[in-house]
Amino acid sequence: MPILARIPIFKALILDIIFIYCMEITVDQMYQIENKGHDMGFLKKFMMENAGAASVRRLVEKIENIESKNILIFVGLGNNGGDGLVMARHLAGYGAKVTVMLLGTPEKIKTEESNWNWSILKKMPSVKLMIGDSLSFDFKPDIIVDGILGTGISGEIREPYASAINYINKTDCYKFAVDVPSGLDPQTGETANICTKCNMTVTFHKMKQGIPKRKDLTGELYAEKIGIPPEAEEGIL
Ligand SMILES: NC(=O)C1=CN([C@@H]2O[C@H](COP(=O)(O)OP(=O)(O)OC[C@H]3O[C@@H](n4cnc5c(N)ncnc54)[C@H](O)[C@@H]3O)[C@@H](O)[C@H]2O)[C@@H](O)CC1
Ligand SMILES: [K+]
């Protein structure tokens, strides 16, 4: 054993570092765990539901009088956006004034679980739905939810996501990132050409290795369980 590791305080520190490192997973491991959980019957739509619900719990704990707030939710066409759609429904349940800006058209939503959530929102007049790439709103948001891009990010940010990220960064309000601030690579901690700067980030299941490197962009950072059976990790972690 190295000499330093024999001194209790250093031993504790080394154990802490090992523990923190082991708690963090790669993005690839996350996708494998998600797929295995889904194959076990814990469907991705349930994971998405729990991700959105856990995010709203954190937001409601943080922000007083949520029912009086104008909340603007930017959603991309992947499952990060799907989590944002779940948040919209839960926040409407709290009585907040919720507007969803889908960055694209509904036919281009990529997954069954995101589509499922979009179709529920279409039946909810309590949530205002906008589509396309207009960034002109007839209210001033108190809170913006960034559900644009998550673990599926690759390369430089393309339109209309880039303009939405710019809009978020120049708007003065509370900013919440779903899973990871859009533009931040959750594996490496590096940013693309542009990235949201947020006040709070809630990531799911376990911390991804790159995210805690960028607390300057994440703000307060949490990893929330979303119901994936621990057995889904077997053979992966
Ligand atoms: N992995 C899991 O276990 C779970 C993941 N969930 C959510 O799903 C997310 C991952 O979903 P996806 O795999 O659909 O990925 P994303 O939602 O991150 O989106 C990927 C899509 O965005 C587009 N895109 C990628 N890079 C781009 C760029 N630079 N500029 C413009 N467009 C770009 C691509 O068309 C791609 O299909 C996570 O971040 C998380 O929010 C949750 O629903 C809960 C469970
Ligand atoms: K995001």
Side-chain angles (χ1 to χ4, degrees):
M1 197 192 282
I3 300 258
L4 276 181
R6 288 191 203 142
I7 303 168
I9 189 164
F10 284 108
K11 195 171 169 188
L13 193 64
I14 290 166
L15 286 174
D16 266 2
I17 291 167
I18 293 171
F19 179 71
I20 289 166
Y21 183 76
C22 290
M23 293 297 290
E24 292 176 3
I25 62 173
T26 67
V27 167
D28 187 50
Q29 285 168 334
M30 185 67 243
Y31 276 114
Q32 288 182 54
I33 293 165
E34 177 187 24
N35 287 329
K36 194 162 165 204
H38 183 82
D39 291 343
M40 287 170 72
F42 186 65
L43 305 181
K44 289 182 187 178
K45 67 164 72 162
F46 301 140
M47 299 179 202
M48 184 173 276
E49 183 64 29
N50 287 340
S55 297
V56 167
R57 267 197 306 281
R58 283 286 177 192
L59 194 55
V60 167
E61 266 169 33
K62 184 74 188 177
I63 307 284
E64 281 177 22
N65 303 324
I66 199 88
E67 69 287 349
S68 68
K69 304 300 181 199
N70 270 312
I71 305 180
L72 175 57
I73 306 182
F74 281 101
V75 302
L77 299 168
N79 275 0
N80 194 252
D83 298 346
L85 298 175
V86 172
M87 286 185 74
R89 172 163 40 81
H90 282 260
L91 286 164
Y94 279 95
K97 290 166 258 175
V98 182
T99 300
V100 169
M101 179 71 215
L102 178 72
L103 296 168
T105 52
E107 317 79 74
K108 297 229 170 101
I109 293 177
K110 288 182 194 292
T111 65
E112 193 234 318
E113 49 275 10
S114 276
N115 261 308
W116 188 65
N117 279 299
W118 177 259
S119 66
I120 298 170
L121 289 179
K122 282 204 298 187
K123 297 173 199 151
M124 291 176 57
S126 55
V127 175
K128 182 175 179 193
L129 298 181
M130 297 177 70
I131 56 176
D133 52 16
S134 160
L135 291 170
S136 136
F137 305 98
D138 60 2
F139 63 93
K140 184 190 171 310
D142 301 301
I143 300 167
I144 292 181
V145 173
D146 161 15
I148 301 174
L149 277 168
T151 49
I153 185 175
S154 85
E156 301 294 86
I157 308 299
R158 301 181 289 278
E159 292 296 352
Y161 294 180
S163 294
I165 290 171
N166 266 324
Y167 173 89
I168 293 172
N169 283 342
K170 69 172 203 255
T171 303
D172 180 22
C173 69
Y174 190 87
K175 293 155 197 174
F176 178 96
V178 180
D179 202 17
V180 56
S182 296
L184 175 60
D185 182 328
Q187 182 53 42
T188 62
E190 283 166 15
T191 52
N193 48 326
I194 187 168
C195 181
T196 54
K197 183 167 166 37
C198 296
N199 301 95
M200 185 188 287
T201 298
V202 173
T203 194
F204 308 118
H205 188 65
K206 284 190 168 163
M207 188 57 68
K208 319 307 167 318
Q209 289 171 356
I211 302 178
K213 294 179 180 164
R214 297 310 301 269
K215 293 254 177 63
D216 57 320
L217 299 172
T218 64
E220 279 181 68
L221 179 59
Y222 301 97
E224 292 289 342
K225 296 292 177 211
I226 54 172
I228 298 177
E231 288 74 8
E233 294 180 344
E234 280 171 18
I236 298 167
L237 300 188

